[in-house]
Amino acid sequence: MTPEQQHRGITGFMQMIPHCKEIGMSLDHIQADSSVVLRLDPRPELTGNAALGLIHGGVLTVLMDTACGSAAILGLPYPEICPTVDLRLDHYSAANNQRPLFCRAWATHVTQQIVFTEGVIWQDEGQLLAKGTGTFMRLGAERTPAGFAQHLFGVEPQA
């Protein structure tokens, strides 16, 4: 896929997920290695600890899951649906709700049935807030809804 197709597809994919749309998650960019960087701007409704102005940990989990799922799709030869099998998130520091959050994720290994991913979350460059790993089940072309890749990514159906 071209970079434009990747960008269009991941943006469309995130718009299909109601909670991503609701919290304002967006695609920041896709790197040359097909890793995905998502962005989440501060919003009052993301606050988990109002006294300290901290983002709820569940928001970081949603951000990591979406970034890793997007990276799983881009890690495949042809886009297909890949539901989350397992997601692990290690928190190192709290996220402040005054600055944007970023999450970079990439596929580390692809098998016939599973895509393995890793990701990191930060606010300030060099300050790691969380690190995660995710595994995603490949549904394959036969179980991915017809038109998924063509509608989102603008790629022709797989032969």
Side-chain angles (χ1 to χ4, degrees):
M1 286 185 286
T2 67
E4 293 79 19
Q5 287 173 314
Q6 290 179 331
H7 193 277
R8 174 183 158 199
I10 296 303
T11 299
F13 172 67
M14 290 190 336
Q15 289 298 308
M16 290 174 51
I17 304 170
H19 55 270
C20 293
K21 193 174 177 180
E22 182 68 28
I23 65 173
M25 193 181 301
S26 63
L27 174 62
D28 192 68
H29 65 279
I30 298 173
Q31 296 182 315
D33 63 357
S34 292
S35 62
V36 176
V37 179
L38 301 186
R39 178 186 176 112
L40 188 56
D41 289 322
R43 297 171 74 155
E45 59 270 24
L46 303 180
T47 302
N49 182 327
L52 297 176
L54 302 178
I55 295 176
H56 189 280
V59 173
L60 276 68
T61 302
V62 169
L63 182 61
M64 182 67 72
D65 187 37
T66 306
C68 285
S70 297
I73 293 171
L74 293 182
L76 298 173
Y78 186 80
E80 59 189 69
I81 298 286
C82 297
T84 308
V85 173
D86 185 58
L87 183 72
R88 177 185 169 89
L89 194 64
D90 295 323
H91 296 265
Y92 299 126
S93 184
N96 183 297
N97 201 9
Q98 302 303 310
R99 297 185 313 282
L101 276 173
F102 296 92
C103 182
R104 178 177 172 257
W106 58 94
T108 58
H109 187 67
V110 177
T111 72
Q112 288 286 83
Q113 296 179 334
I114 301 288
V115 180
F116 298 87
T117 64
E118 293 182 5
V120 292
I121 296 175
W122 73 94
Q123 285 185 305
D124 299 317
E125 199 66 42
Q127 180 196 7
L128 188 63
L129 299 179
K131 185 176 181 181
T133 58
T135 55
F136 297 82
M137 180 185 298
R138 294 181 65 180
L139 293 187
E142 65 280 357
R143 291 179 291 188
T144 293
F148 172 78
Q150 192 168 20
H151 173 73
L152 290 178
F153 294 89
V155 295
E156 292 303 313
Q158 190 175 22

